[in-house]
Amino acid sequence: MDTVSRRDRSRIMSRMKSSGSGPELVLRRVVKELVDYRVLYNVKSLPGTPDLVIPKLRLAVFVDGCYFHGCPEHHRPPKSNVRFWKAKMAATIRHDFEVRLELRSRDWTVWVIWEHEVKDEKALRKNLKRRFEKLIRDSEDPPPDQVA
Ligand SMILES: [Zn+2]
């Protein structure tokens, strides 16, 4: 049972996906520092409009806001309009799940990064470096010297 209309949901999603917000900019910069691939942003042609895409690696990255996407560390239940917010959040989380499943079924690698992880830039860089190394190692045709 979907208690949030499609229009409401897309409005919520588009507000959250407003490009150029702080965490997304930090992510872009760190990724650009780490790898040399062509990077695309807010790719509307893919399910869920990934925040960052590296076509060569078939990698889609989402930055999830801690509140709306239900981060286990930072989400706190709303104090008013509880049913309303619960329904909206449930719709968001279900939507996240569906689009990411769809991407994975199309052979995309999907990384989901919490907003709070982007705030610790040093840890983010370390985390992404390790992930990129593994992803490039596992890809069939690894180009040389792509990881800084
Ligand atoms: Zn969080």
Side-chain angles (χ1 to χ4, degrees):
M1 175 74 172
D2 196 350
T3 48
V4 177
S5 74
R6 255 171 205 287
R7 185 196 273 175
D8 272 352
R9 183 195 295 175
S10 74
R11 201 161 50 209
I12 299 164
M13 298 306 291
S14 72
R15 206 156 50 215
M16 288 187 303
K17 288 288 176 194
S18 64
S19 55
S21 67
E24 284 173 41
L25 290 182
V26 174
L27 177 72
R28 290 179 190 195
R29 191 175 68 243
V30 170
V31 167
K32 287 303 243 184
E33 283 168 14
L34 287 173
V35 292
D36 228 353
Y37 299 101
R38 190 166 64 103
V39 181
L40 306 175
Y41 305 108
N42 298 308
V43 180
K44 294 187 172 65
S45 56
L46 287 174
T49 313
D51 294 304
L52 191 151
V53 165
I54 298 182
K56 174 87 176 171
L57 294 174
R58 241 181 138 65
L59 171 68
V61 183
F62 293 90
V63 181
D64 280 358
C66 289
Y67 186 80
F68 279 102
H69 296 261
C71 164
E73 283 177 51
H74 300 106
H75 176 68
R76 296 291 175 267
K79 292 196 167 57
S80 58
N81 292 323
V82 173
R83 288 168 66 96
F84 173 79
W85 284 110
K86 273 194 172 166
K88 275 197 195 296
M89 293 207 28
T92 301
I93 291 165
R94 188 168 52 234
H95 177 79
D96 289 345
F97 179 79
E98 283 165 6
V99 298
R100 288 152 201 192
L101 198 66
E102 171 67 20
L103 279 168
R104 288 182 172 116
S105 78
R106 294 192 206 172
D107 248 359
W108 283 82
T109 296
V110 178
W111 292 351
V112 179
I113 297 169
W114 288 111
E115 194 182 2
H116 72 256
E117 294 182 272
V118 179
K119 285 176 182 158
D120 185 347
E121 196 174 324
K122 200 175 157 199
L124 176 74
R125 185 176 286 108
K126 199 174 158 197
N127 177 5
L128 289 183
K129 185 168 191 272
R130 189 173 43 79
R131 288 190 184 202
F132 272 122
E133 282 169 350
K134 184 175 191 313
L135 186 63
I136 291 167
R137 200 165 52 232
D138 293 348
S139 69
E140 288 178 355
D141 178 27
D145 301 328
Q146 288 286 3
V147 173

